[in-house]
mmCIF file of all heavy atoms in Angstrom:
data_model
loop_
_atom_site.group_PDB
_atom_site.id
_atom_site.type_symbol
_atom_site.label_atom_id
_atom_site.label_comp_id
_atom_site.label_asym_id
_atom_site.label_seq_id
_atom_site.Cartn_x
_atom_site.Cartn_y
_atom_site.Cartn_z
ATOM 1 N N ARG B 1424 89.852 27.152 51.136
ATOM 2 C CA ARG B 1424 89.588 28.141 52.202
ATOM 3 C C ARG B 1424 90.416 27.989 53.444
ATOM 4 O O ARG B 1424 90.872 28.948 53.950
ATOM 5 C CB ARG B 1424 88.053 27.983 52.485
ATOM 6 C CG ARG B 1424 87.535 29.045 53.496
ATOM 7 C CD ARG B 1424 86.057 28.737 53.698
ATOM 8 N NE ARG B 1424 85.397 29.644 54.631
ATOM 9 C CZ ARG B 1424 84.131 29.667 54.972
ATOM 10 N NH1 ARG B 1424 83.311 28.718 54.549
ATOM 11 N NH2 ARG B 1424 83.711 30.482 55.921
ATOM 12 N N VAL B 1425 90.538 26.753 53.917
ATOM 13 C CA VAL B 1425 91.300 26.455 55.120
ATOM 14 C C VAL B 1425 92.735 26.804 54.903
ATOM 15 O O VAL B 1425 93.464 27.363 55.735
ATOM 16 C CB VAL B 1425 91.149 24.947 55.500
ATOM 17 C CG1 VAL B 1425 92.048 24.683 56.737
ATOM 18 C CG2 VAL B 1425 89.749 24.677 55.875
ATOM 19 N N TYR B 1426 93.260 26.392 53.705
ATOM 20 C CA TYR B 1426 94.692 26.725 53.454
ATOM 21 C C TYR B 1426 94.943 28.271 53.353
ATOM 22 O O TYR B 1426 96.020 28.721 53.934
ATOM 23 C CB TYR B 1426 95.059 26.124 52.037
ATOM 24 C CG TYR B 1426 96.503 26.433 51.653
ATOM 25 C CD1 TYR B 1426 97.554 25.669 52.146
ATOM 26 C CD2 TYR B 1426 96.746 27.382 50.700
ATOM 27 C CE1 TYR B 1426 98.860 25.946 51.824
ATOM 28 C CE2 TYR B 1426 98.122 27.687 50.365
ATOM 29 C CZ TYR B 1426 99.150 26.931 50.850
ATOM 30 O OH TYR B 1426 100.510 27.207 50.558
ATOM 31 N N ARG B 1427 93.948 28.961 52.784
ATOM 32 C CA ARG B 1427 94.123 30.449 52.744
ATOM 33 C C ARG B 1427 94.201 31.113 54.177
ATOM 34 O O ARG B 1427 95.033 31.926 54.441
ATOM 35 C CB ARG B 1427 92.999 31.051 51.987
ATOM 36 C CG ARG B 1427 93.263 32.564 51.731
ATOM 37 C CD ARG B 1427 92.163 33.143 50.763
ATOM 38 N NE ARG B 1427 90.768 32.958 51.339
ATOM 39 C CZ ARG B 1427 89.888 32.098 50.972
ATOM 40 N NH1 ARG B 1427 90.195 31.304 49.900
ATOM 41 N NH2 ARG B 1427 88.670 32.041 51.520
ATOM 42 N N ARG B 1428 93.346 30.579 55.100
ATOM 43 C CA ARG B 1428 93.362 31.004 56.408
ATOM 44 C C ARG B 1428 94.625 30.585 57.244
ATOM 45 O O ARG B 1428 95.221 31.324 58.044
ATOM 46 C CB ARG B 1428 92.078 30.567 57.253
ATOM 47 C CG ARG B 1428 90.802 30.923 56.587
ATOM 48 C CD ARG B 1428 90.550 32.403 56.313
ATOM 49 N NE ARG B 1428 90.613 33.165 57.581
ATOM 50 C CZ ARG B 1428 90.410 34.513 57.652
ATOM 51 N NH1 ARG B 1428 90.157 35.157 56.456
ATOM 52 N NH2 ARG B 1428 90.366 35.114 58.833
ATOM 53 N N ALA B 1429 95.108 29.363 56.888
ATOM 54 C CA ALA B 1429 96.260 28.892 57.578
ATOM 55 C C ALA B 1429 97.548 29.659 57.186
ATOM 56 O O ALA B 1429 98.472 29.788 58.043
ATOM 57 C CB ALA B 1429 96.520 27.425 57.125
ATOM 58 N N ARG B 1430 97.582 30.194 56.020
ATOM 59 C CA ARG B 1430 98.729 31.044 55.623
ATOM 60 C C ARG B 1430 98.889 32.297 56.412
ATOM 61 O O ARG B 1430 99.924 32.900 56.455
ATOM 62 C CB ARG B 1430 98.674 31.313 54.116
ATOM 63 C CG ARG B 1430 99.020 30.194 53.205
ATOM 64 C CD ARG B 1430 100.577 29.850 53.313
ATOM 65 N NE ARG B 1430 101.362 30.897 52.751
ATOM 66 C CZ ARG B 1430 102.160 31.731 53.505
ATOM 67 N NH1 ARG B 1430 102.379 31.596 54.755
ATOM 68 N NH2 ARG B 1430 102.907 32.670 52.778
ATOM 69 N N ARG B 1431 97.840 32.660 57.211
ATOM 70 C CA ARG B 1431 97.893 33.827 57.975
ATOM 71 C C ARG B 1431 98.676 33.568 59.265
ATOM 72 O O ARG B 1431 99.148 34.459 59.939
ATOM 73 C CB ARG B 1431 96.490 34.289 58.406
ATOM 74 C CG ARG B 1431 95.633 34.874 57.251
ATOM 75 C CD ARG B 1431 94.199 35.146 57.648
ATOM 76 N NE ARG B 1431 93.509 35.885 56.587
ATOM 77 C CZ ARG B 1431 93.194 37.116 56.627
ATOM 78 N NH1 ARG B 1431 93.612 37.842 57.717
ATOM 79 N NH2 ARG B 1431 92.588 37.780 55.706
ATOM 80 N N GLN B 1432 98.785 32.275 59.691
ATOM 81 C CA GLN B 1432 99.419 31.939 60.909
ATOM 82 C C GLN B 1432 100.664 30.936 60.731
ATOM 83 O O GLN B 1432 101.496 30.817 61.697
ATOM 84 C CB GLN B 1432 98.438 31.283 61.848
ATOM 85 C CG GLN B 1432 97.215 32.138 62.242
ATOM 86 C CD GLN B 1432 96.337 31.545 63.271
ATOM 87 O OE1 GLN B 1432 96.839 31.152 64.383
ATOM 88 N NE2 GLN B 1432 95.049 31.534 62.925
ATOM 89 N N PHE B 1433 100.695 30.328 59.582
ATOM 90 C CA PHE B 1433 101.755 29.311 59.348
ATOM 91 C C PHE B 1433 102.445 29.630 58.021
ATOM 92 O O PHE B 1433 101.860 30.087 57.053
ATOM 93 C CB PHE B 1433 101.241 27.874 59.484
ATOM 94 C CG PHE B 1433 100.613 27.529 60.691
ATOM 95 C CD1 PHE B 1433 99.214 27.622 60.916
ATOM 96 C CD2 PHE B 1433 101.422 26.967 61.672
ATOM 97 C CE1 PHE B 1433 98.706 27.350 62.181
ATOM 98 C CE2 PHE B 1433 100.823 26.662 62.955
ATOM 99 C CZ PHE B 1433 99.429 26.859 63.185
ATOM 100 N N SER B 1434 103.709 29.264 57.984
ATOM 101 C CA SER B 1434 104.518 29.400 56.671
ATOM 102 C C SER B 1434 104.181 28.285 55.785
ATOM 103 O O SER B 1434 103.724 27.254 56.128
ATOM 104 C CB SER B 1434 105.944 29.512 57.017
ATOM 105 O OG SER B 1434 106.437 28.330 57.477
ATOM 106 N N GLU B 1435 104.573 28.474 54.475
ATOM 107 C CA GLU B 1435 104.451 27.347 53.571
ATOM 108 C C GLU B 1435 105.269 26.151 53.929
ATOM 109 O O GLU B 1435 104.844 24.992 53.801
ATOM 110 C CB GLU B 1435 104.874 27.813 52.098
ATOM 111 C CG GLU B 1435 103.961 28.960 51.539
ATOM 112 C CD GLU B 1435 104.484 29.462 50.221
ATOM 113 O OE1 GLU B 1435 105.644 29.140 49.851
ATOM 114 O OE2 GLU B 1435 103.714 30.206 49.517
ATOM 115 N N GLU B 1436 106.445 26.431 54.431
ATOM 116 C CA GLU B 1436 107.303 25.285 54.937
ATOM 117 C C GLU B 1436 106.639 24.514 56.028
ATOM 118 O O GLU B 1436 106.745 23.331 56.052
ATOM 119 C CB GLU B 1436 108.687 25.842 55.445
ATOM 120 C CG GLU B 1436 109.568 26.488 54.316
ATOM 121 C CD GLU B 1436 109.158 27.853 53.954
ATOM 122 O OE1 GLU B 1436 108.267 28.449 54.689
ATOM 123 O OE2 GLU B 1436 109.740 28.563 53.085
ATOM 124 N N GLU B 1437 105.997 25.169 56.976
ATOM 125 C CA GLU B 1437 105.369 24.507 58.059
ATOM 126 C C GLU B 1437 104.198 23.713 57.611
ATOM 127 O O GLU B 1437 103.986 22.464 58.053
ATOM 128 C CB GLU B 1437 104.911 25.481 59.126
ATOM 129 C CG GLU B 1437 106.010 26.120 59.896
ATOM 130 C CD GLU B 1437 105.614 27.336 60.773
ATOM 131 O OE1 GLU B 1437 104.574 27.916 60.421
ATOM 132 O OE2 GLU B 1437 106.312 27.525 61.836
ATOM 133 N N ILE B 1438 103.393 24.226 56.764
ATOM 134 C CA ILE B 1438 102.257 23.392 56.189
ATOM 135 C C ILE B 1438 102.681 22.234 55.311
ATOM 136 O O ILE B 1438 102.173 21.128 55.467
ATOM 137 C CB ILE B 1438 101.330 24.374 55.391
ATOM 138 C CG1 ILE B 1438 100.747 25.537 56.278
ATOM 139 C CG2 ILE B 1438 100.155 23.577 54.798
ATOM 140 C CD1 ILE B 1438 99.978 26.599 55.485
ATOM 141 N N ALA B 1439 103.715 22.466 54.468
ATOM 142 C CA ALA B 1439 104.261 21.349 53.702
ATOM 143 C C ALA B 1439 104.801 20.285 54.616
ATOM 144 O O ALA B 1439 104.615 19.040 54.331
ATOM 145 C CB ALA B 1439 105.344 21.921 52.819
ATOM 146 N N GLU B 1440 105.492 20.621 55.640
ATOM 147 C CA GLU B 1440 106.069 19.605 56.619
ATOM 148 C C GLU B 1440 104.799 18.819 57.242
ATOM 149 O O GLU B 1440 104.918 17.656 57.455
ATOM 150 C CB GLU B 1440 106.898 20.323 57.687
ATOM 151 C CG GLU B 1440 107.374 19.298 58.737
ATOM 152 C CD GLU B 1440 107.992 20.095 59.873
ATOM 153 O OE1 GLU B 1440 108.115 21.322 59.884
ATOM 154 O OE2 GLU B 1440 108.294 19.344 60.923
ATOM 155 N N ALA B 1441 103.800 19.586 57.559
ATOM 156 C CA ALA B 1441 102.615 18.948 58.270
ATOM 157 C C ALA B 1441 102.032 17.834 57.344
ATOM 158 O O ALA B 1441 101.718 16.678 57.887
ATOM 159 C CB ALA B 1441 101.585 19.924 58.649
ATOM 160 N N PHE B 1442 101.845 18.111 56.144
ATOM 161 C CA PHE B 1442 101.187 17.098 55.206
ATOM 162 C C PHE B 1442 102.202 16.010 54.749
ATOM 163 O O PHE B 1442 101.822 14.914 54.410
ATOM 164 C CB PHE B 1442 100.503 17.797 54.064
ATOM 165 C CG PHE B 1442 99.251 18.424 54.437
ATOM 166 C CD1 PHE B 1442 99.231 19.743 54.793
ATOM 167 C CD2 PHE B 1442 98.084 17.665 54.474
ATOM 168 C CE1 PHE B 1442 97.960 20.344 55.190
ATOM 169 C CE2 PHE B 1442 96.812 18.162 54.853
ATOM 170 C CZ PHE B 1442 96.836 19.523 55.224
ATOM 171 N N ALA B 1443 103.504 16.293 54.920
ATOM 172 C CA ALA B 1443 104.497 15.216 54.623
ATOM 173 C C ALA B 1443 104.478 14.252 55.784
ATOM 174 O O ALA B 1443 104.830 13.156 55.577
ATOM 175 C CB ALA B 1443 105.842 15.917 54.444
ATOM 176 N N ALA B 1444 104.131 14.713 56.972
ATOM 177 C CA ALA B 1444 104.205 13.869 58.099
ATOM 178 C C ALA B 1444 102.894 13.178 58.407
ATOM 179 O O ALA B 1444 102.863 12.175 59.250
ATOM 180 C CB ALA B 1444 104.588 14.745 59.416
ATOM 181 N N THR B 1445 101.745 13.553 57.701
ATOM 182 C CA THR B 1445 100.424 13.063 58.035
ATOM 183 C C THR B 1445 99.903 12.236 56.894
ATOM 184 O O THR B 1445 99.761 12.716 55.749
ATOM 185 C CB THR B 1445 99.544 14.188 58.325
ATOM 186 O OG1 THR B 1445 100.146 14.952 59.362
ATOM 187 C CG2 THR B 1445 98.162 13.676 58.681
ATOM 188 N N ARG B 1446 99.579 10.980 57.127
ATOM 189 C CA ARG B 1446 98.930 10.109 56.213
ATOM 190 C C ARG B 1446 98.590 8.894 57.019
ATOM 191 O O ARG B 1446 99.204 8.413 57.890
ATOM 192 C CB ARG B 1446 99.787 9.761 55.031
ATOM 193 C CG ARG B 1446 100.946 8.911 55.366
ATOM 194 C CD ARG B 1446 101.855 8.706 54.236
ATOM 195 N NE ARG B 1446 102.938 7.710 54.484
ATOM 196 C CZ ARG B 1446 104.045 8.026 55.118
ATOM 197 N NH1 ARG B 1446 104.258 9.223 55.517
ATOM 198 N NH2 ARG B 1446 105.003 7.121 55.291
ATOM 199 N N GLY B 1447 97.395 8.315 56.586
ATOM 200 C CA GLY B 1447 96.968 6.957 57.063
ATOM 201 C C GLY B 1447 96.983 6.798 58.613
ATOM 202 O O GLY B 1447 96.116 7.285 59.340
ATOM 203 N N LEU B 1448 98.043 6.177 59.159
ATOM 204 C CA LEU B 1448 98.138 5.877 60.545
ATOM 205 C C LEU B 1448 98.090 7.050 61.492
ATOM 206 O O LEU B 1448 97.498 7.023 62.581
ATOM 207 C CB LEU B 1448 99.407 5.100 60.785
ATOM 208 C CG LEU B 1448 99.769 4.817 62.225
ATOM 209 C CD1 LEU B 1448 98.807 3.824 62.868
ATOM 210 C CD2 LEU B 1448 101.271 4.214 62.307
ATOM 211 N N THR B 1449 98.661 8.185 61.027
ATOM 212 C CA THR B 1449 98.754 9.356 61.863
ATOM 213 C C THR B 1449 97.459 10.051 61.983
ATOM 214 O O THR B 1449 97.315 10.987 62.834
ATOM 215 C CB THR B 1449 99.866 10.305 61.353
ATOM 216 O OG1 THR B 1449 99.487 10.722 60.062
ATOM 217 C CG2 THR B 1449 101.229 9.622 61.379
ATOM 218 N N MET B 1450 96.506 9.746 61.182
ATOM 219 C CA MET B 1450 95.199 10.377 61.277
ATOM 220 C C MET B 1450 94.243 9.543 62.236
ATOM 221 O O MET B 1450 94.249 8.353 62.132
ATOM 222 C CB MET B 1450 94.426 10.398 59.856
ATOM 223 C CG MET B 1450 95.176 11.267 58.895
ATOM 224 S SD MET B 1450 94.210 11.142 57.354
ATOM 225 C CE MET B 1450 95.411 11.842 56.191
ATOM 226 N N PRO B 1451 93.512 10.164 63.129
ATOM 227 C CA PRO B 1451 92.628 9.372 63.970
ATOM 228 C C PRO B 1451 91.599 8.668 63.157
ATOM 229 O O PRO B 1451 91.209 9.049 62.045
ATOM 230 C CB PRO B 1451 91.903 10.484 64.840
ATOM 231 C CG PRO B 1451 92.883 11.656 64.844
ATOM 232 C CD PRO B 1451 93.568 11.605 63.457
ATOM 233 N N SER B 1452 91.197 7.498 63.655
ATOM 234 C CA SER B 1452 90.219 6.534 62.856
ATOM 235 C C SER B 1452 88.978 7.297 62.486
ATOM 236 O O SER B 1452 88.451 7.088 61.420
ATOM 237 C CB SER B 1452 89.955 5.370 63.638
ATOM 238 O OG SER B 1452 89.400 5.683 64.917
ATOM 239 N N GLN B 1453 88.427 8.150 63.460
ATOM 240 C CA GLN B 1453 87.180 8.795 63.066
ATOM 241 C C GLN B 1453 87.416 9.812 61.900
ATOM 242 O O GLN B 1453 86.529 9.915 60.996
ATOM 243 C CB GLN B 1453 86.651 9.600 64.330
ATOM 244 C CG GLN B 1453 85.275 10.292 64.069
ATOM 245 C CD GLN B 1453 84.951 11.422 64.965
ATOM 246 O OE1 GLN B 1453 85.858 11.982 65.647
ATOM 247 N NE2 GLN B 1453 83.650 11.747 65.173
ATOM 248 N N LEU B 1454 88.502 10.514 61.878
ATOM 249 C CA LEU B 1454 88.738 11.412 60.726
ATOM 250 C C LEU B 1454 88.974 10.591 59.410
ATOM 251 O O LEU B 1454 88.356 11.051 58.428
ATOM 252 C CB LEU B 1454 90.042 12.210 61.104
ATOM 253 C CG LEU B 1454 90.585 13.158 59.935
ATOM 254 C CD1 LEU B 1454 89.468 14.189 59.556
ATOM 255 C CD2 LEU B 1454 91.776 13.890 60.410
#
């Protein structure tokens, strides 16, 4: 559901880059 709404404002390349850059350390500890 979130991905479908995100495609209305962001391209596939932008979303792919976001998840390539985010893992472990880059996520806040609460998340």
